[in-house]
Amino acid sequence: MAAAATTAGPAGPEPMPSYAQLVQRSWGSAVAAARGCVDCGWGLALRGLTEHAHLAPPELLLLALGALGWTVLRSAATTRLFRPLAKRCRLQPRDAAKMPESAWKFLFYLGTWSYSAYLLFGTDYPFFHDPPSVFYDWTPGMAVPRDIAAAYLLQGSFYGHSIYATLYMDAWRKDSVVMLVHHVVTLVLIVSSYAFRYHSVGILVLFLHDISDVQLEFTKLNVYFKSRGGSHHPLHALAADLGCLSFSLSWFWFRLYWFPLKVLYATCHCSLRSVPDIPFYFFFNALLLLLTVMNLYWFLYIVAFAAKVLTGQVRELKDVREYDASEAPSPKPSKAEKPLRNGLVKDKRF
């Protein structure tokens, strides 16, 4: 395999393609890359790892410590902040059990999305307005800017924590297995894109995905709070309705419109123009395509819920991924929920 050579991009931003242009150009580039790979196989993969992957053991250790830190911080926040807040606001028992998870995720994704937005719009990085520029001047082992490295550490360690949290801390839902796959794929993408110095496109991916999580958890929190204290609170109900609408629109716009037309177009087509022998081209694009498939999968939940609302089958906002009481698999309660559930049992004795 020849040494990767980087070429500079055009003078101005390249226009965003249509879906048809994305498929046509990406397919053509992928087929050409496959035909031009004369020594593809495990040998090439091992050489690519040796020559282009740059990830030091201390960085992996820092990632692991960060994941542990997020887990400890979440447990402390649940015990000392979220659970007392749910009790003080007199949330319904079912809502009080789920509120800490949504509050935790809302605060994290709000912070990380705001930071990604700052990197893309408050600095000189042109990645959002000119996605192909993520590969301009790419070189193996290039230095990662500190502001982007900080974002990678926060996100990578959090998704390491999220794998554990999905299994042992979060409520078990109909899509929890898919969620586990998502967290593993995301963690692999974060770690490998950092090692291969594809961090520029990584920031764009994180920005386009985190906004939906912010709106989802914001909506769920308002659903929980609209019935607090045994009475209806119209302000929270309105915020929940608006949040649900905003979440549905942003999911399509950010994850199913901008993500493929900006990120996939850059990685599948433009990357080979800038770096003809770009390392692990098929590996990274396969993971990004898998991420797209999961985005489509979850969009079906959104469409299904919208259909139930329009046909009058559902009058109240709820997470359609959650099990009903009659069909729940009765998972073992998480450590964070055990004290709360025990307290509810004690209250019923009086």
Side-chain angles (χ1 to χ4, degrees):
M1 179 178 177
T6 304
T7 58
E14 182 175 346
M16 193 169 66
S18 64
Y19 284 113
Q21 290 173 327
L22 165 68
V23 174
Q24 180 183 12
R25 296 173 186 176
S26 298
W27 176 255
S29 297
V31 170
R35 290 175 177 174
C37 188
V38 294
D39 59 345
C40 290
W42 288 110
L44 178 62
L46 291 175
R47 290 199 304 274
L49 284 172
T50 303
E51 297 172 6
H52 302 295
H54 298 269
L55 188 63
E59 292 174 318
L60 287 173
L61 177 61
L62 189 60
L63 189 73
L65 291 175
L68 178 62
W70 285 121
T71 304
V72 173
L73 182 60
R74 173 174 174 175
S75 297
T78 298
T79 302
R80 298 179 179 273
L81 178 61
F82 301 139
R83 196 181 299 138
L85 178 62
K87 183 178 180 180
R88 181 176 181 179
C89 294
R90 294 188 296 160
L91 297 187
Q92 300 297 321
R94 181 178 176 84
D95 296 336
K98 295 183 291 185
M99 188 277 281
E101 177 187 342
S102 290
W104 166 257
K105 292 180 179 178
F106 172 74
L107 291 175
F108 174 81
Y109 286 118
L110 179 62
T112 55
W113 182 79
S114 299
Y115 185 58
S116 298
Y118 161 74
L119 291 177
L120 292 174
F121 302 104
T123 66
D124 295 330
Y125 296 127
F127 310 140
F128 181 83
H129 300 291
D130 187 18
S133 66
V134 297
F135 295 106
Y136 299 165
D137 303 321
W138 177 91
T139 56
M142 61 188 295
V144 181
R146 290 187 177 181
D147 49 6
I148 293 181
Y152 260 71
L153 176 60
L154 290 173
Q155 293 273 10
S157 59
F158 184 81
Y159 277 100
H161 149 77
S162 295
I163 294 173
Y164 172 86
T166 301
L167 288 169
Y168 300 109
M169 302 179 76
D170 297 346
W172 191 258
R173 301 181 175 89
K174 298 175 183 178
D175 68 334
S176 289
V177 173
V178 179
M179 186 67 72
L180 271 175
V181 175
H182 170 270
H183 292 340
V184 171
V185 169
T186 303
L187 181 60
V188 171
L189 275 171
I190 290 174
V191 173
S192 56
S193 64
Y194 179 87
F196 285 91
R197 299 307 190 247
Y198 300 147
H199 47 272
S200 300
V201 70
I203 289 298
L204 187 55
V205 173
L206 294 170
F207 168 77
L208 293 175
H209 281 75
D210 284 355
I211 181 61
S212 300
D213 293 300
V214 173
Q215 294 171 318
L216 173 63
E217 303 305 336
F218 171 81
T219 301
K220 291 169 68 175
L221 285 172
N222 279 281
V223 169
Y224 302 152
F225 277 87
K226 71 178 182 180
S227 300
R228 58 188 172 90
S231 59
H232 181 73
H233 295 266
L235 184 60
H236 285 295
L238 176 62
D241 292 338
L242 294 177
C244 182
L245 177 62
S246 176
F247 164 73
S248 302
L249 295 175
S250 71
W251 187 282
F252 173 80
W253 194 261
F254 280 76
R255 296 195 178 202
L256 299 179
Y257 180 66
W258 271 343
F259 176 67
L261 299 186
K262 286 181 177 288
V263 173
L264 293 183
Y265 183 71
T267 59
C268 294
H269 175 63
C270 301
S271 60
L272 292 173
R273 294 186 319 193
S274 298
V275 190
D277 293 322
I278 189 167
F280 283 76
Y281 168 84
F282 291 103
F283 171 77
F284 281 103
N285 281 300
L287 291 181
L288 290 172
L289 286 171
L290 180 57
L291 200 59
T292 305
V293 170
M294 287 187 283
N295 287 337
L296 285 168
Y297 168 80
W298 279 308
F299 188 65
L300 293 178
Y301 276 102
I302 298 174
V303 173
F305 177 75
K308 289 182 179 181
V309 171
L310 293 175
T311 57
Q313 299 180 46
V314 174
R315 295 184 178 181
E316 291 288 333
L317 283 178
K318 71 173 186 177
D319 192 341
V320 296
R321 302 170 303 158
E322 295 180 352
Y323 289 102
D324 295 329
S326 59
E327 62 179 352
S330 299
K332 182 179 179 180
S334 67
K335 294 180 180 179
E337 293 178 347
K338 281 182 179 179
L340 178 59
R341 294 190 181 183
N342 292 338
L344 294 175
V345 171
K346 291 179 181 178
D347 290 340
K348 291 178 181 178
R349 295 176 182 175
F350 293 98

PDB file of all heavy atoms in Angstrom, residues 150-175:
ATOM      1  N   ALA A 150     -10.241  17.248  24.023  1.00  0.00           N
ATOM      2  CA  ALA A 150     -11.069  17.305  25.227  1.00  0.00           C
ATOM      3  C   ALA A 150     -12.473  16.768  24.956  1.00  0.00           C
ATOM      4  O   ALA A 150     -13.043  16.022  25.758  1.00  0.00           O
ATOM      5  CB  ALA A 150     -11.147  18.742  25.747  1.00  0.00           C
ATOM      6  N   ALA A 151     -13.037  17.140  23.804  1.00  0.00           N
ATOM      7  CA  ALA A 151     -14.357  16.631  23.437  1.00  0.00           C
ATOM      8  C   ALA A 151     -14.327  15.121  23.272  1.00  0.00           C
ATOM      9  O   ALA A 151     -15.256  14.416  23.687  1.00  0.00           O
ATOM     10  CB  ALA A 151     -14.833  17.303  22.142  1.00  0.00           C
ATOM     11  N   TYR A 152     -13.266  14.608  22.678  1.00  0.00           N
ATOM     12  CA  TYR A 152     -13.135  13.159  22.490  1.00  0.00           C
ATOM     13  C   TYR A 152     -13.027  12.424  23.818  1.00  0.00           C
ATOM     14  O   TYR A 152     -13.609  11.343  23.995  1.00  0.00           O
ATOM     15  CB  TYR A 152     -11.916  12.858  21.612  1.00  0.00           C
ATOM     16  CG  TYR A 152     -12.277  12.576  20.175  1.00  0.00           C
ATOM     17  CD1 TYR A 152     -12.729  13.596  19.344  1.00  0.00           C
ATOM     18  CD2 TYR A 152     -12.192  11.292  19.658  1.00  0.00           C
ATOM     19  CE1 TYR A 152     -13.079  13.345  18.027  1.00  0.00           C
ATOM     20  CE2 TYR A 152     -12.538  11.023  18.350  1.00  0.00           C
ATOM     21  CZ  TYR A 152     -12.975  12.051  17.535  1.00  0.00           C
ATOM     22  OH  TYR A 152     -13.341  11.783  16.244  1.00  0.00           O
ATOM     23  N   LEU A 153     -12.294  12.986  24.752  1.00  0.00           N
ATOM     24  CA  LEU A 153     -12.160  12.347  26.061  1.00  0.00           C
ATOM     25  C   LEU A 153     -13.501  12.308  26.777  1.00  0.00           C
ATOM     26  O   LEU A 153     -13.888  11.271  27.351  1.00  0.00           O
ATOM     27  CB  LEU A 153     -11.128  13.093  26.909  1.00  0.00           C
ATOM     28  CG  LEU A 153     -10.956  12.595  28.350  1.00  0.00           C
ATOM     29  CD1 LEU A 153     -10.510  11.138  28.368  1.00  0.00           C
ATOM     30  CD2 LEU A 153      -9.965  13.477  29.103  1.00  0.00           C
ATOM     31  N   LEU A 154     -14.240  13.399  26.745  1.00  0.00           N
ATOM     32  CA  LEU A 154     -15.546  13.454  27.394  1.00  0.00           C
ATOM     33  C   LEU A 154     -16.514  12.444  26.770  1.00  0.00           C
ATOM     34  O   LEU A 154     -17.176  11.683  27.478  1.00  0.00           O
ATOM     35  CB  LEU A 154     -16.125  14.864  27.297  1.00  0.00           C
ATOM     36  CG  LEU A 154     -15.440  15.965  28.123  1.00  0.00           C
ATOM     37  CD1 LEU A 154     -16.026  17.323  27.775  1.00  0.00           C
ATOM     38  CD2 LEU A 154     -15.586  15.685  29.612  1.00  0.00           C
ATOM     39  N   GLN A 155     -16.566  12.439  25.452  1.00  0.00           N
ATOM     40  CA  GLN A 155     -17.527  11.578  24.774  1.00  0.00           C
ATOM     41  C   GLN A 155     -17.123  10.104  24.851  1.00  0.00           C
ATOM     42  O   GLN A 155     -17.960   9.235  25.101  1.00  0.00           O
ATOM     43  CB  GLN A 155     -17.648  12.009  23.306  1.00  0.00           C
ATOM     44  CG  GLN A 155     -18.275  13.375  23.099  1.00  0.00           C
ATOM     45  CD  GLN A 155     -19.790  13.311  23.028  1.00  0.00           C
ATOM     46  OE1 GLN A 155     -20.401  12.284  23.301  1.00  0.00           O
ATOM     47  NE2 GLN A 155     -20.411  14.423  22.663  1.00  0.00           N
ATOM     48  N   GLY A 156     -15.845   9.818  24.632  1.00  0.00           N
ATOM     49  CA  GLY A 156     -15.401   8.430  24.672  1.00  0.00           C
ATOM     50  C   GLY A 156     -15.600   7.795  26.033  1.00  0.00           C
ATOM     51  O   GLY A 156     -16.089   6.664  26.145  1.00  0.00           O
ATOM     52  N   SER A 157     -15.219   8.522  27.080  1.00  0.00           N
ATOM     53  CA  SER A 157     -15.393   7.978  28.432  1.00  0.00           C
ATOM     54  C   SER A 157     -16.873   7.836  28.783  1.00  0.00           C
ATOM     55  O   SER A 157     -17.280   6.886  29.467  1.00  0.00           O
ATOM     56  CB  SER A 157     -14.684   8.872  29.449  1.00  0.00           C
ATOM     57  OG  SER A 157     -15.199  10.199  29.416  1.00  0.00           O
ATOM     58  N   PHE A 158     -17.703   8.760  28.307  1.00  0.00           N
ATOM     59  CA  PHE A 158     -19.127   8.674  28.608  1.00  0.00           C
ATOM     60  C   PHE A 158     -19.762   7.456  27.944  1.00  0.00           C
ATOM     61  O   PHE A 158     -20.611   6.785  28.549  1.00  0.00           O
ATOM     62  CB  PHE A 158     -19.850   9.946  28.166  1.00  0.00           C
ATOM     63  CG  PHE A 158     -21.306   9.966  28.541  1.00  0.00           C
ATOM     64  CD1 PHE A 158     -21.693  10.313  29.820  1.00  0.00           C
ATOM     65  CD2 PHE A 158     -22.287   9.627  27.615  1.00  0.00           C
ATOM     66  CE1 PHE A 158     -23.032  10.322  30.187  1.00  0.00           C
ATOM     67  CE2 PHE A 158     -23.626   9.634  27.970  1.00  0.00           C
ATOM     68  CZ  PHE A 158     -24.001   9.981  29.254  1.00  0.00           C
ATOM     69  N   TYR A 159     -19.382   7.162  26.706  1.00  0.00           N
ATOM     70  CA  TYR A 159     -19.963   5.993  26.043  1.00  0.00           C
ATOM     71  C   TYR A 159     -19.422   4.696  26.626  1.00  0.00           C
ATOM     72  O   TYR A 159     -20.104   3.673  26.595  1.00  0.00           O
ATOM     73  CB  TYR A 159     -19.744   6.070  24.534  1.00  0.00           C
ATOM     74  CG  TYR A 159     -20.787   6.934  23.875  1.00  0.00           C
ATOM     75  CD1 TYR A 159     -20.513   8.250  23.521  1.00  0.00           C
ATOM     76  CD2 TYR A 159     -22.064   6.446  23.638  1.00  0.00           C
ATOM     77  CE1 TYR A 159     -21.483   9.057  22.938  1.00  0.00           C
ATOM     78  CE2 TYR A 159     -23.042   7.240  23.069  1.00  0.00           C
ATOM     79  CZ  TYR A 159     -22.745   8.541  22.714  1.00  0.00           C
ATOM     80  OH  TYR A 159     -23.725   9.333  22.159  1.00  0.00           O
ATOM     81  N   GLY A 160     -18.215   4.720  27.170  1.00  0.00           N
ATOM     82  CA  GLY A 160     -17.755   3.572  27.935  1.00  0.00           C
ATOM     83  C   GLY A 160     -18.622   3.358  29.158  1.00  0.00           C
ATOM     84  O   GLY A 160     -19.008   2.227  29.483  1.00  0.00           O
ATOM     85  N   HIS A 161     -18.930   4.445  29.860  1.00  0.00           N
ATOM     86  CA  HIS A 161     -19.856   4.374  30.999  1.00  0.00           C
ATOM     87  C   HIS A 161     -21.246   3.934  30.559  1.00  0.00           C
ATOM     88  O   HIS A 161     -21.910   3.162  31.262  1.00  0.00           O
ATOM     89  CB  HIS A 161     -19.932   5.748  31.676  1.00  0.00           C
ATOM     90  CG  HIS A 161     -21.255   6.056  32.302  1.00  0.00           C
ATOM     91  ND1 HIS A 161     -21.658   5.524  33.508  1.00  0.00           N
ATOM     92  CD2 HIS A 161     -22.287   6.837  31.866  1.00  0.00           C
ATOM     93  CE1 HIS A 161     -22.870   5.967  33.803  1.00  0.00           C
ATOM     94  NE2 HIS A 161     -23.276   6.754  32.824  1.00  0.00           N
ATOM     95  N   SER A 162     -21.692   4.397  29.394  1.00  0.00           N
ATOM     96  CA  SER A 162     -23.057   4.122  28.948  1.00  0.00           C
ATOM     97  C   SER A 162     -23.282   2.639  28.663  1.00  0.00           C
ATOM     98  O   SER A 162     -24.413   2.155  28.804  1.00  0.00           O
ATOM     99  CB  SER A 162     -23.371   4.948  27.692  1.00  0.00           C
ATOM    100  OG  SER A 162     -23.360   6.330  27.994  1.00  0.00           O
ATOM    101  N   ILE A 163     -22.248   1.925  28.247  1.00  0.00           N
ATOM    102  CA  ILE A 163     -22.396   0.485  28.039  1.00  0.00           C
ATOM    103  C   ILE A 163     -22.758  -0.195  29.359  1.00  0.00           C
ATOM    104  O   ILE A 163     -23.672  -1.019  29.431  1.00  0.00           O
ATOM    105  CB  ILE A 163     -21.109  -0.105  27.441  1.00  0.00           C
ATOM    106  CG1 ILE A 163     -20.881   0.453  26.032  1.00  0.00           C
ATOM    107  CG2 ILE A 163     -21.169  -1.632  27.405  1.00  0.00           C
ATOM    108  CD1 ILE A 163     -19.556   0.059  25.424  1.00  0.00           C
ATOM    109  N   TYR A 164     -22.027   0.178  30.409  1.00  0.00           N
ATOM    110  CA  TYR A 164     -22.336  -0.357  31.743  1.00  0.00           C
ATOM    111  C   TYR A 164     -23.707   0.121  32.214  1.00  0.00           C
ATOM    112  O   TYR A 164     -24.496  -0.658  32.759  1.00  0.00           O
ATOM    113  CB  TYR A 164     -21.254   0.078  32.729  1.00  0.00           C
ATOM    114  CG  TYR A 164     -21.580  -0.254  34.174  1.00  0.00           C
ATOM    115  CD1 TYR A 164     -21.277  -1.506  34.700  1.00  0.00           C
ATOM    116  CD2 TYR A 164     -22.186   0.689  35.006  1.00  0.00           C
ATOM    117  CE1 TYR A 164     -21.583  -1.819  36.017  1.00  0.00           C
ATOM    118  CE2 TYR A 164     -22.496   0.387  36.314  1.00  0.00           C
ATOM    119  CZ  TYR A 164     -22.188  -0.864  36.827  1.00  0.00           C
ATOM    120  OH  TYR A 164     -22.501  -1.176  38.125  1.00  0.00           O
ATOM    121  N   ALA A 165     -24.001   1.399  31.989  1.00  0.00           N
ATOM    122  CA  ALA A 165     -25.258   1.966  32.485  1.00  0.00           C
ATOM    123  C   ALA A 165     -26.464   1.320  31.819  1.00  0.00           C
ATOM    124  O   ALA A 165     -27.492   1.091  32.468  1.00  0.00           O
ATOM    125  CB  ALA A 165     -25.269   3.472  32.251  1.00  0.00           C
ATOM    126  N   THR A 166     -26.380   1.032  30.527  1.00  0.00           N
ATOM    127  CA  THR A 166     -27.500   0.394  29.839  1.00  0.00           C
ATOM    128  C   THR A 166     -27.817  -0.964  30.442  1.00  0.00           C
ATOM    129  O   THR A 166     -28.979  -1.370  30.552  1.00  0.00           O
ATOM    130  CB  THR A 166     -27.196   0.248  28.342  1.00  0.00           C
ATOM    131  OG1 THR A 166     -26.945   1.541  27.780  1.00  0.00           O
ATOM    132  CG2 THR A 166     -28.359  -0.396  27.596  1.00  0.00           C
ATOM    133  N   LEU A 167     -26.787  -1.684  30.865  1.00  0.00           N
ATOM    134  CA  LEU A 167     -26.963  -3.015  31.424  1.00  0.00           C
ATOM    135  C   LEU A 167     -27.419  -2.992  32.878  1.00  0.00           C
ATOM    136  O   LEU A 167     -28.230  -3.825  33.294  1.00  0.00           O
ATOM    137  CB  LEU A 167     -25.655  -3.813  31.308  1.00  0.00           C
ATOM    138  CG  LEU A 167     -25.265  -4.272  29.910  1.00  0.00           C
ATOM    139  CD1 LEU A 167     -23.840  -4.808  29.911  1.00  0.00           C
ATOM    140  CD2 LEU A 167     -26.225  -5.323  29.390  1.00  0.00           C
ATOM    141  N   TYR A 168     -26.907  -2.043  33.668  1.00  0.00           N
ATOM    142  CA  TYR A 168     -27.087  -2.131  35.118  1.00  0.00           C
ATOM    143  C   TYR A 168     -27.726  -0.906  35.775  1.00  0.00           C
ATOM    144  O   TYR A 168     -28.070  -0.969  36.951  1.00  0.00           O
ATOM    145  CB  TYR A 168     -25.731  -2.373  35.790  1.00  0.00           C
ATOM    146  CG  TYR A 168     -25.071  -3.652  35.332  1.00  0.00           C
ATOM    147  CD1 TYR A 168     -23.953  -3.617  34.513  1.00  0.00           C
ATOM    148  CD2 TYR A 168     -25.572  -4.904  35.707  1.00  0.00           C
ATOM    149  CE1 TYR A 168     -23.343  -4.789  34.078  1.00  0.00           C
ATOM    150  CE2 TYR A 168     -24.970  -6.068  35.293  1.00  0.00           C
ATOM    151  CZ  TYR A 168     -23.855  -6.015  34.473  1.00  0.00           C
ATOM    152  OH  TYR A 168     -23.268  -7.163  34.049  1.00  0.00           O
ATOM    153  N   MET A 169     -27.909   0.205  35.045  1.00  0.00           N
ATOM    154  CA  MET A 169     -28.438   1.402  35.683  1.00  0.00           C
ATOM    155  C   MET A 169     -29.709   1.923  35.018  1.00  0.00           C
ATOM    156  O   MET A 169     -30.598   2.419  35.708  1.00  0.00           O
ATOM    157  CB  MET A 169     -27.362   2.509  35.696  1.00  0.00           C
ATOM    158  CG  MET A 169     -26.072   2.111  36.410  1.00  0.00           C
ATOM    159  SD  MET A 169     -24.803   3.418  36.398  1.00  0.00           S
ATOM    160  CE  MET A 169     -25.463   4.523  37.639  1.00  0.00           C
ATOM    161  N   ASP A 170     -29.797   1.846  33.694  1.00  0.00           N
ATOM    162  CA  ASP A 170     -30.947   2.387  32.981  1.00  0.00           C
ATOM    163  C   ASP A 170     -32.133   1.432  33.030  1.00  0.00           C
ATOM    164  O   ASP A 170     -31.970   0.226  33.249  1.00  0.00           O
ATOM    165  CB  ASP A 170     -30.602   2.661  31.511  1.00  0.00           C
ATOM    166  CG  ASP A 170     -29.514   3.714  31.357  1.00  0.00           C
ATOM    167  OD1 ASP A 170     -29.217   4.408  32.351  1.00  0.00           O
ATOM    168  OD2 ASP A 170     -28.975   3.840  30.239  1.00  0.00           O
ATOM    169  N   ALA A 171     -33.325   1.982  32.796  1.00  0.00           N
ATOM    170  CA  ALA A 171     -34.515   1.137  32.650  1.00  0.00           C
ATOM    171  C   ALA A 171     -34.372   0.305  31.374  1.00  0.00           C
ATOM    172  O   ALA A 171     -33.900   0.797  30.350  1.00  0.00           O
ATOM    173  CB  ALA A 171     -35.761   2.008  32.581  1.00  0.00           C
ATOM    174  N   TRP A 172     -34.768  -0.968  31.463  1.00  0.00           N
ATOM    175  CA  TRP A 172     -34.667  -1.845  30.289  1.00  0.00           C
ATOM    176  C   TRP A 172     -35.853  -1.596  29.365  1.00  0.00           C
ATOM    177  O   TRP A 172     -37.004  -1.642  29.768  1.00  0.00           O
ATOM    178  CB  TRP A 172     -34.632  -3.307  30.722  1.00  0.00           C
ATOM    179  CG  TRP A 172     -34.257  -4.216  29.587  1.00  0.00           C
ATOM    180  CD1 TRP A 172     -35.090  -4.996  28.850  1.00  0.00           C
ATOM    181  CD2 TRP A 172     -32.936  -4.424  29.058  1.00  0.00           C
ATOM    182  NE1 TRP A 172     -34.373  -5.686  27.892  1.00  0.00           N
ATOM    183  CE2 TRP A 172     -33.052  -5.353  27.991  1.00  0.00           C
ATOM    184  CE3 TRP A 172     -31.679  -3.917  29.382  1.00  0.00           C
ATOM    185  CZ2 TRP A 172     -31.950  -5.784  27.256  1.00  0.00           C
ATOM    186  CZ3 TRP A 172     -30.579  -4.347  28.646  1.00  0.00           C
ATOM    187  CH2 TRP A 172     -30.725  -5.268  27.599  1.00  0.00           C
ATOM    188  N   ARG A 173     -35.551  -1.316  28.082  1.00  0.00           N
ATOM    189  CA  ARG A 173     -36.577  -0.963  27.120  1.00  0.00           C
ATOM    190  C   ARG A 173     -36.567  -1.932  25.940  1.00  0.00           C
ATOM    191  O   ARG A 173     -35.684  -2.774  25.823  1.00  0.00           O
ATOM    192  CB  ARG A 173     -36.361   0.478  26.626  1.00  0.00           C
ATOM    193  CG  ARG A 173     -36.394   1.516  27.742  1.00  0.00           C
ATOM    194  CD  ARG A 173     -36.199   2.919  27.197  1.00  0.00           C
ATOM    195  NE  ARG A 173     -36.349   3.920  28.248  1.00  0.00           N
ATOM    196  CZ  ARG A 173     -35.363   4.366  29.022  1.00  0.00           C
ATOM    197  NH1 ARG A 173     -34.122   3.894  28.838  1.00  0.00           N
ATOM    198  NH2 ARG A 173     -35.579   5.263  29.952  1.00  0.00           N
ATOM    199  N   LYS A 174     -37.526  -1.754  25.046  1.00  0.00           N
ATOM    200  CA  LYS A 174     -37.650  -2.641  23.891  1.00  0.00           C
ATOM    201  C   LYS A 174     -36.451  -2.535  22.956  1.00  0.00           C
ATOM    202  O   LYS A 174     -36.160  -3.472  22.210  1.00  0.00           O
ATOM    203  CB  LYS A 174     -38.938  -2.326  23.122  1.00  0.00           C
ATOM    204  CG  LYS A 174     -40.207  -2.552  23.934  1.00  0.00           C
ATOM    205  CD  LYS A 174     -41.439  -2.106  23.166  1.00  0.00           C
ATOM    206  CE  LYS A 174     -42.695  -2.274  24.010  1.00  0.00           C
ATOM    207  NZ  LYS A 174     -43.915  -1.811  23.310  1.00  0.00           N
ATOM    208  N   ASP A 175     -35.780  -1.400  22.981  1.00  0.00           N
ATOM    209  CA  ASP A 175     -34.637  -1.197  22.086  1.00  0.00           C
ATOM    210  C   ASP A 175     -33.305  -1.224  22.830  1.00  0.00           C
ATOM    211  O   ASP A 175     -32.301  -0.749  22.299  1.00  0.00           O
ATOM    212  CB  ASP A 175     -34.783   0.138  21.362  1.00  0.00           C
ATOM    213  CG  ASP A 175     -34.647   1.328  22.310  1.00  0.00           C
ATOM    214  OD1 ASP A 175     -34.934   1.159  23.512  1.00  0.00           O
ATOM    215  OD2 ASP A 175     -34.239   2.409  21.854  1.00  0.00           O
TER     216      ASP A 175
END
